[in-house]
Amino acid sequence: MTTRLRILPALALLAVVAAFTGAVPAAAWDKHEPAPQWAVDAAKTPTPASAKDSPAVVLFDEYLITFDNDNHAIEREREAIRILKPQGRGYTHCSIGYDIDEKLNYFRSWTIAPDGHQFQAMESDFIDHGAYEAPELQFTERIRTVNPPASDPGSVVVCETEEHLRPYMYEEEWNIQSSIPFVFEALEIDLPPGGHYADSWGKYPPMKPVEVGSNHLRWEIKDMPALDLENIHATPVWGALAARMSIKWGDDAVNGTDNQWRAIGLWQEQLEQHRPDPTPEITVKAQELTTGATDFYTKLSRITDYIQKNIRYFIVAKGIGGWQAHYAGDIYRNRYGDCKDKTTLLISMLQAIGIRAYYLHVDSRRGIIDPKDPSLAGNHMITAIEVPDGVNDPRLMALVNAVNGKNLLIFDPTDEETPVGLIRAALQGAYGNISNGADSQVLPLPVLPPESAGLSRKGTFTLTADGALAGDVSEVFTGDDATNERWFIKDNDSKEIHEKLENGLGSDLPGLTFKGYEFHGAADLDKPLDLDLHISATGYAHPAGPLLLLRPRVLGSHAHAVPDVMEGKPRAYSIELGHPGRWHDSFDIAIPPGYVVDETSDPVSVDVDFASYHSTITSKANTLHYERDYVVRQVEIPADKAASFRTLESVILSDEKGTAVLKKQ
């Protein structure tokens, strides 16, 4: 999608300055010119009292969309930002994206000082760089950014751009909220004769436009507060909470939320038409992989495992290639592709063995796609696989029902460490748009049951009279927890793994000596991942005269760091829990000869609708036994359940700090 003129925070600017500086597509003024009248007028806007604590404030932000003789959209933006504090300078580095089919006509900027003196940004104040900085990405999309002169507190930086939008796109996203407040903002669209539009709104009540002229419409918003998440923890991602509006024109401009989602799905389907068609080579390979497979799961797992392990994630996108997949035959032959490509090849291979599958446009961050705001917002493509009637395999957990009654299995072929049947935490409870002709729709993604993931940890230890602890721990990871561990193994060498495990264990065990580790089953995605640890720690138990004090919970913590909730502050946003799962700890500690267990903490038990936690400490003969079970049933909970969350976390924190007392006989 179009990279709009945007405000870059200071940290983003540092990355920009360090980036490669390329050719300039549209020069700034090469001679001094006065700021336009709109900028001078905007700079006179008083700073509202509501913005006094903000580092900067947007005084004016206006978009105008017009159309050329070929009915291709042209977008102009004008923006004025006042710096209120030194750190507000970082919000004045306006930036805009362009591409081979998204021509940037001009980008100009001035700084207007409090005394009215003007400083114009010249060519040396602009830099251009690639839109993405990762070795697996090769894009033609670039970003142009201004480093405005004389950007001091009290000054107003104004920016103006104009560009031709991509001719194959019929939608723009109006981001009406930022991390600093807006005084005034507007969107205007001047449609060609006979043209029509559709709008949808997210996190903001729909507004009627003002008719400026024939087929010329304008929306205006005043005093938009900042979305400030500083010191607010465990929230959905910023983009899932920010207000926005999507404006559409052309064939995609249809009335009704469901109709708009359907139009988006049809557009995507048309874009990918014939690209998943199986070639003879693909058909042969798919049939070869599934030879002898008698059940649906085995067929699926053999093909998905092949794509996960043999088709490298790599992006080569030029223009529309950022939206349109390559042909399945090319992907199979080249052995690489992006998310659209890997989905295309999966659809193709499944089609070759008689299984239907569909494109499912999602975002890798839960909440970005809003079912009430039909739009192309979303950065990822995955697959929805049609499950035949009568198939009831407990390994297929990521299931949803479509409006046409079909049972669909959600799978991400880009995720190399999650087996078919499951989806990772960030996708659970999110939404996606499925491309399936007239049955295209926005689709809620499943929240998996607790049985889908977790960790079972068992430790056997020996405690000596001087407080030293030594023993072995066996950990069994399943589901999303196993996926995370497999990525950990994949991204680190053996030395790095040892160091990171040691650092993690050391937070629970001061005086740790980490003797070693062994992983088992890392290559078998549909099986649990096992980890064996061998540890010892000096000073684990603390002497107090004839007593030894120790913590029965040797390893691991289930506490969530959400200080604002725990402090009882008002909560406006939902609380992220992570993902559903079941975590079980069982620790046996052989106590030193001559000691007996004198005192332990009481059992704890709490059960709320979204989670439960149970813990006990018992003793038998010369062994102290600690056991707990933690179950999470949801990915996030609404803000009105903050009190229940606080109760749960208080119990967990208290239990994890619990102490047992050993007494010398």
Side-chain angles (χ1 to χ4, degrees):
M1 293 183 68
T2 300
T3 303
R4 306 285 296 281
L5 182 61
R6 56 185 179 174
I7 305 165
L8 289 183
L11 290 178
L13 174 69
L14 296 178
V16 167
V17 172
F20 170 77
T21 301
V24 179
W29 291 112
D30 54 7
K31 60 180 180 178
H32 288 282
E33 296 285 347
Q37 190 60 43
W38 73 263
V40 175
D41 293 341
K44 297 176 181 177
T45 304
T47 300
S50 58
K52 64 179 181 179
D53 294 327
S54 177
V57 58
V58 180
L59 303 175
F60 181 86
D61 189 32
E62 178 190 69
Y63 292 93
L64 171 63
I65 300 174
T66 58
F67 295 83
D68 62 18
N69 293 333
D70 296 320
N71 282 343
H72 293 159
I74 302 169
E75 183 179 75
R76 184 197 71 194
E77 183 183 6
R78 293 172 171 175
E79 187 171 36
I81 309 147
R82 176 171 289 134
I83 304 168
L84 302 179
K85 299 178 181 179
Q87 58 267 40
R89 294 186 179 97
Y91 291 89
T92 61
H93 300 284
C94 304
S95 178
I96 188 167
Y98 61 94
D99 205 343
I100 58 173
D101 45 19
E102 188 176 25
K103 180 184 176 183
L104 178 57
N105 292 340
Y106 63 79
F107 184 175
R108 298 161 188 158
S109 179
W110 291 262
T111 302
I112 301 176
D115 62 2
H117 190 76
Q118 297 181 10
F119 302 87
Q120 183 182 355
M122 305 305 287
E123 188 53 50
S124 59
D125 297 312
F126 291 83
I127 57 175
D128 290 72
H129 59 95
Y132 307 97
E133 298 177 23
E136 68 271 13
L137 304 176
Q138 290 188 9
F139 271 86
T140 55
E141 186 177 346
R142 298 184 66 76
I143 294 177
R144 184 159 170 78
T145 301
V146 66
N147 183 19
S151 52
D152 297 316
S155 296
V156 175
V157 174
V158 297
C159 303
E160 182 172 3
T161 65
E162 183 181 271
E163 68 175 342
H164 281 75
L165 302 184
R166 292 178 171 95
Y168 46 83
M169 304 297 289
Y170 307 98
E171 173 188 318
E172 268 290 74
E173 196 83 11
W174 185 24
N175 297 308
I176 58 179
Q177 193 169 34
S178 180
S179 53
I180 58 175
F182 286 80
V183 176
F184 176 86
E185 53 188 323
L187 172 67
E188 201 170 309
I189 184 167
D190 190 1
L191 292 162
H196 53 286
Y197 79 96
D199 61 332
S200 58
W201 298 76
K203 307 299 184 294
Y204 197 81
M207 293 177 56
K208 293 283 187 183
V210 174
E211 293 190 17
V212 178
S214 178
N215 254 14
H216 192 161
L217 307 162
R218 181 177 174 88
W219 292 261
E220 293 185 356
I221 298 176
K222 297 178 181 179
D223 300 320
M224 173 63 72
L227 176 58
D228 183 6
L229 299 182
E230 187 176 0
N231 299 322
I232 303 177
H233 303 266
T235 67
V237 295
W238 190 92
L241 302 174
R244 68 190 190 212
M245 184 266 252
S246 175
I247 181 77
K248 306 168 187 67
W249 55 88
D251 293 339
D252 288 346
V254 294
N255 293 322
T257 300
D258 291 342
N259 290 334
Q260 288 186 32
W261 281 118
R262 188 176 300 111
I264 293 171
L266 287 168
W267 177 83
Q268 184 74 54
E269 187 175 66
Q270 182 180 11
L271 198 64
E272 309 295 7
Q273 189 174 22
H274 296 304
R275 292 184 179 255
D277 291 352
T279 62
E281 293 80 9
I282 289 175
T283 300
V284 168
K285 186 63 179 180
Q287 292 174 347
E288 172 192 313
L289 288 169
T290 55
T291 297
T294 58
D295 64 279
F296 183 73
Y297 178 85
T298 302
K299 291 178 181 179
L300 274 187
S301 62
R302 289 183 182 179
I303 288 179
T304 56
D305 187 71
Y306 172 82
I307 291 175
Q308 287 172 300
K309 293 179 178 177
N310 294 279
I311 308 301
R312 185 165 60 100
Y313 180 74
F314 189 79
I315 299 175
V316 179
K318 180 180 180 181
I320 198 172
W323 292 92
Q324 186 179 55
H326 295 87
Y327 285 98
D330 295 334
I331 303 162
Y332 177 73
R333 182 172 56 255
N334 294 329
R335 295 293 194 270
Y336 69 80
D338 64 9
C339 58
K340 304 180 303 298
D341 296 329
K342 297 189 79 166
T343 288
T344 296
L345 183 56
L346 177 57
I347 292 173
S348 180
M349 297 187 82
L350 292 176
Q351 182 180 331
I353 59 169
I355 298 174
R356 296 197 65 183
Y358 311 94
Y359 292 96
L360 183 62
H361 186 209
V362 300
D363 196 280
S364 59
R365 301 154 297 172
R366 184 189 310 112
I368 294 294
I369 294 181
D370 183 347
K372 298 177 182 178
D373 176 24
S375 76
L376 285 168
N379 64 5
H380 194 36
M381 186 71 73
I382 62 174
T383 319
I385 303 168
E386 196 171 299
V387 179
D389 294 339
V391 172
N392 186 22
D393 193 310
R395 293 170 291 186
L396 303 178
M397 296 187 185
L399 294 170
V400 293
N401 289 311
V403 291
N404 60 6
K406 296 295 184 181
N407 204 22
L408 300 174
L409 176 71
I410 310 304
F411 176 69
D412 182 358
T414 308
D415 188 343
E416 299 171 2
E417 302 299 333
T418 298
V420 67
L422 305 177
I423 54 173
R424 64 184 178 277
L427 295 178
Q428 294 184 43
Y431 286 86
N433 188 51
I434 186 171
S435 297
N436 183 18
D439 290 328
S440 298
Q441 66 167 112
V442 65
L443 196 67
L445 304 190
V447 175
L448 304 189
E451 293 73 25
S452 66
L455 167 63
S456 178
R457 181 189 286 120
K458 183 177 178 59
T460 304
F461 306 96
T462 299
L463 183 70
T464 59
D466 61 359
L469 184 79
D472 298 319
V473 180
S474 173
E475 300 185 340
V476 181
F477 300 88
T478 57
D480 213 54
D481 296 74
T483 291
N484 292 335
E485 289 299 305
R486 288 186 167 104
W487 279 113
F488 172 63
I489 296 169
K490 193 170 189 175
D491 292 340
N492 296 276
D493 61 30
S494 58
K495 180 181 178 182
E496 291 169 330
I497 291 173
H498 188 283
E499 290 176 351
K500 291 178 180 180
L501 287 175
E502 186 172 34
N503 290 337
L505 293 167
S507 63
D508 279 322
L509 298 169
L512 170 73
T513 298
F514 184 34
K515 297 180 179 180
Y517 72 93
E518 298 94 28
F519 280 105
H520 308 281
D524 298 324
L525 298 187
D526 58 350
K527 293 182 174 60
L529 174 67
D530 297 340
L531 170 62
D532 294 329
L533 302 168
H534 313 290
I535 58 178
S536 64
T538 58
Y540 183 75
H542 304 284
L547 307 177
L548 275 177
L549 311 179
L550 72 149
R551 187 188 67 222
R553 176 195 61 88
V554 180
L555 295 173
S557 175
H558 297 310
H560 287 72
V562 193
D564 51 306
V565 176
M566 299 308 293
E567 292 166 7
K569 295 178 181 178
R571 181 77 179 194
Y573 309 114
S574 59
I575 302 170
E576 291 274 330
L577 298 179
H579 66 83
R582 183 181 297 274
W583 295 268
H584 183 79
D585 288 328
S586 176
F587 299 137
D588 286 315
I589 303 174
I591 64 178
Y595 282 84
V596 295
V597 177
D598 185 56
E599 184 180 339
T600 63
S601 302
D602 293 332
V604 299
S605 181
V606 60
D607 199 334
V608 290
D609 62 345
F610 54 85
S612 64
Y613 185 87
H614 306 281
S615 170
T616 60
I617 304 172
T618 58
S619 63
K620 186 177 181 180
N622 68 334
T623 299
L624 180 68
H625 179 72
Y626 173 85
E627 189 152 357
R628 67 171 170 175
D629 198 50
Y630 178 49
V631 176
V632 174
R633 305 181 185 96
Q634 298 177 23
V635 292
E636 64 179 53
I637 57 174
D640 60 12
K641 293 188 177 180
S644 295
F645 178 85
R646 193 158 48 245
T647 297
L648 173 70
E649 289 302 306
S650 297
V651 168
I652 293 174
L653 286 167
S654 176
D655 177 64
E656 291 186 345
K657 294 177 181 178
T659 300
V661 179
L662 308 183
K663 184 177 181 180
K664 193 170 186 179
Q665 290 181 310

